[in-house]
Amino acid sequence: MSFGGFLGIGARYHPLPWHVITYDTSQGGYVVGVDPSMLKGAPTYGTTEMPNWSDRRWGQMVHDYYGVRPYWE
């Protein structure tokens, strides 16, 4: 998920664990079960940055922040 910035400049991406989103057929999309204020301090990365997705420490940090178990456990 991304937000912030203007016309894509300065936007930040917020990786979300699968356990904090659900698919709502009535809305035709995913619903994020996170309070917007929680996203302000959440792990993010910029458009020119790329996390090492194979680094379990990064994934663990994201899951810990949202208080959910990682999918690999």
Side-chain angles (χ1 to χ4, degrees), residues 13-25:
Y13 297 105
H14 294 73
L16 297 170
W18 285 109
H19 295 299
V20 299
I21 63 175
T22 55
Y23 190 81
D24 186 337
T25 55

Side-chain angles (χ1 to χ4, degrees), residues 3-66:
F3 66 88
F6 179 72
L7 298 176
I9 299 170
R12 303 287 300 170
Y13 297 105
H14 294 73
L16 297 170
W18 285 109
H19 295 299
V20 299
I21 63 175
T22 55
Y23 190 81
D24 186 337
T25 55
S26 67
Q27 294 189 39
Y30 288 96
V31 176
V32 178
V34 175
D35 186 88
S37 65
M38 189 173 199
L39 292 174
K40 291 184 180 181
T44 65
Y45 61 96
T47 57
T48 60
E49 305 163 357
M50 183 57 66
N52 179 357
W53 298 112
S54 63
D55 181 0
R56 287 277 167 100
R57 290 174 295 164
W58 165 257
Q60 187 68 52
M61 177 186 65
V62 172
H63 285 78
D64 288 349
Y65 181 82
Y66 291 102

